[in-house]
Amino acid sequence: MHAPTITIPQDRETEASRDIAPGPIAFTYVYARSRDTRAADALGQDFIAYRYDDARIAFAVCDGVSQSFYGEIAARLLGMRLVDHLWRANLSTADRFLADLDSALHAWTHEASAAVAAKLINPALPEMHRVALERKRESGSESMFAAGVIDRGGEKIALCWMGDMRLWLWDAAGHAIDIPGAEWLTRERWSSRIGPKNGSPRGCILPIDRIARVTAHSDGVGHFAAQFGELSQDLLNTVIREQTAAPASDDIAVLDINLADDDRYGAYSTLPAPILRVPDPAEPVLTWEASRLAARYRVLIDDGKLPYTLDLEVTEMGAPLTFFPPHTDDSPLICAVQALNDYAFPSPWSIPVTLIQNYGADEAGLVPTPNDSLVGTRPASSARPET
C-alpha cells in the first residue's frame, strides 16, 4: 500500500501527540489556533503534513499569511504539494534540488489560483468586509513554509524554506546544528498568484550522521523555540496553553522528527488493524471495533482533490467507534482507519472502503476498495485525474 500523507486538521486543536515509525523514529506534532480564530470557530492558517516509509521522510509546516486572501488556502495546498514533491525529489545536488523546487512552486499557481477563485465569501459578512476580501482575492492567497526530506538510505537531509518560520537541527545532546544559509525573512513567501515572492526558495543538503532530531515550527511559539533542544510532549502542551491564552496569540504548529527515538519502555509492539464495518449501506457512516491498546485513531479521507487525515481521540475505552465522513458534491470518498498509540507502532491501515455519496438520488453506499488503491488511484468507475 502506498504511504499516505498525514495531515493535522486546521479546524481544531491537537494536543502534543506521537506517531512512531520503524527505526524507531518518533513524529511529535501539536497544533493550536489563535485565540481570535478559536473564538470565531474559523480555520487556523498554519498547516502540518508529513509522509514516511522505510526509505524516505518528507514533511512540511506552512504558515498562511493573514493579510492575504484566506491564508489557510495557500498553507494547505502548498503543504500537500510540497510533501508530494519532496517525496520524489532529486537530491543529487543542492542546486538541482532548489531549481526543481522553484519550478514546482511556479507550477502550482494554476491549481492554487483556481482554489482562490472558487472560495465563497460568507454573504452575511458586512459589505465593507466583503469588499476588502474581494480586493485581497486579486492578489491571491500566500503562505510561508519550512520543509524537508530525509533520505534514510542515502543518509542525507534536504531542507527548504521561505519566510520567517524556523527549522532546527539537533544533535544527540540537544545542541543546535548550524543550517547553511539560514536566513528567515518575513517578506519571502509563496503566492497562489505568482509563486515564489520577494525571492527564491532557500535550502541546503546535509549528511544526517550527526542529526538526531529535526524541528519545524511556525512563529506562534514565540520565545519557547529556544527550549526545543530538550523537547517533550508536556513542554509542547505548556507552550500551547501559555501562548494561546495571550490576547495577541497566533496560530501554533510544531512538527518534531526524532531520528533516534528511545524505546525506554521496551521494544515497540504493532497495534492490530481496525476492521471497518458498514452498519447501513444507505447511510454514509463508518464504524469499527475499538482496539484494546489504541489511544486514538487516524482516519484517511481521499476526497479526490487533496487527501487528508484526522486524528480521533478515544473517549470510552472498548466502545465501538463511529465516524461521519464529510459531504461532497456527489463524489466518492476513499476512507481507511489506523490505530495509534504514543508508545507503539501504528497499526496497518484497514482495508479501505469507497463511500459513494449520491445525495441527488437520496442514497449512499459503501463498497470495499482494494488495498493498493488507497492513495492516488481509484477503480475505473470512479477514476479522477491527478491533482
Side-chain angles (χ1 to χ4, degrees), residues 1-6 21-22 25 27 49-60 78-92 97 100-101 104 108 147-153 156 158-160 257 349 375-376 386:
M1 184 183 72
H2 300 293
T5 296
I6 308 303
I25 293 173
F27 299 86
Y50 64 95
R51 184 178 182 182
Y52 66 87
D53 63 11
D54 293 339
R56 183 165 278 208
I57 299 167
F59 65 92
L78 176 61
M80 293 296 291
R81 292 295 169 253
L82 277 169
V83 170
D84 288 345
H85 174 82
L86 294 171
W87 189 252
R88 301 182 296 270
N90 185 321
L91 307 183
S92 56
F97 170 68
D100 289 348
L101 176 60
W108 298 332
V149 55
I150 301 168
D151 181 355
R152 299 169 67 180
K156 64 178 69 173
L159 302 174
C160 54
I257 304 171
W349 286 94
V375 174
E386 291 298 320

Side-chain angles (χ1 to χ4, degrees), residues 30 63 67 129 137 139 149 181 192 215 219-220 228 248 311 355 381:
V30 65
D63 185 350
Q67 291 79 20
H129 194 169
R137 192 197 298 267
S139 298
V149 55
S192 65
T215 307
D219 61 355
F228 284 172
D311 282 9
L355 172 60
S381 60

Side-chain angles (χ1 to χ4, degrees), residues 277-285 354-357 362-367:
R277 302 188 185 281
V278 184
D280 183 349
E283 295 291 336
V285 179
T354 298
L355 172 60
I356 306 299
Q357 302 184 89
D362 195 26
E363 60 184 27
L366 286 163
V367 296

